[in-house]
Amino acid sequence: MRTLKVLIDGLAFPEGPRWHDGKFVFSDMHAHQVVAVDMAGKREVVCEVTNRPSGLGWLPDGRMLVVSMTDRKLMRLDRDGLKMVADMSKLAPFDCNDMVVDARGNAYVGNFGFDLHKNETPRGTTLVMVAPDGVARVVAEDMMFPNGMVITPNGKTLIVGETFGRRLTAFDIGADGSLANRRVWADLGNSLPDGICLDAENAIWVACPTASEVIRVKQGGEVVERIKVETDAFACMLGGRDGRTLFVATAPNSDPEKCRATRGGRIETTQVDVPHAGLP
């Protein structure tokens, strides 16, 4: 049994974890900050995002992209601050959330599709792609809360965690960034997927908040490992020097007011056998 140790705590709600350029970077969503932390737990604020940050990614030139949730915009961090890349409000019915950016700079952005915190009934929504020039378009529809996403190392397959579909869904990626050949990559049964990451054996680590665990899943749905967490696991990422550190973003719940009041969010880590692969 693997055990988790706390890297940092006192967070509002950590999401969108990434390993980039030797650093661990994540969104402290309800604190409105993007944060970087080293392996000793020393943290720094990368930028402030007024309308809540979520998914993170990087363009080929190294500039960071960040999803601005409640105004449904994609932002880019330039030397002189955040700049809008695209306004997705006419394409995404509700708050935007996670994102993956491919090697060409195309950003695939999910959204809630409904008001989660007011307990609305889940309904299908869109997956939006934003090209490097800022042109945004819908590339998939009827997605049940598209959340964590990965791209395989060859750049040809996008896999999306559909939280309220309880599945991982795969698409072929076209030369223009379009998606085709939609299929179920893994049926997760009763597990609701949130953030995900891919390893070098083509297995996916999935954060499952309602089950308070992170699971490692093979294509087809076989769960080959489970790691329990003390509260709820909302996202995960493989990184570290050898790609074998599994970072897990945990929190007692996702309610914005409760998260800001309790500051129970953590980044927790453990070592695993198979290293990171693909994107992010």
Side-chain angles (χ1 to χ4, degrees), residues 35 96 102 114-115 134 136 139 145 152-154 164 166 177 186 211 217 224 233 274-275 279:
V35 179
C96 290
D102 73 12
F114 66 100
D115 195 332
V139 288
F145 205 102
T152 54
N154 63 9
F164 289 98
R166 302 174 189 261
V217 182
V224 293
V274 184
L279 293 168

Side-chain angles (χ1 to χ4, degrees), residues 72-74 84-92 96 105-109 126-140 176-177:
R72 291 169 280 171
K73 292 179 180 179
L74 181 62
M84 187 182 77
V85 177
D87 183 341
M88 299 174 286
S89 59
K90 293 183 179 179
L91 304 176
C96 290
N106 295 316
Y108 295 88
V109 185
T126 57
L127 184 66
V128 176
M129 190 205 79
V130 181
D133 62 3
V135 174
R137 59 190 173 97
V138 173
V139 288
D176 63 350

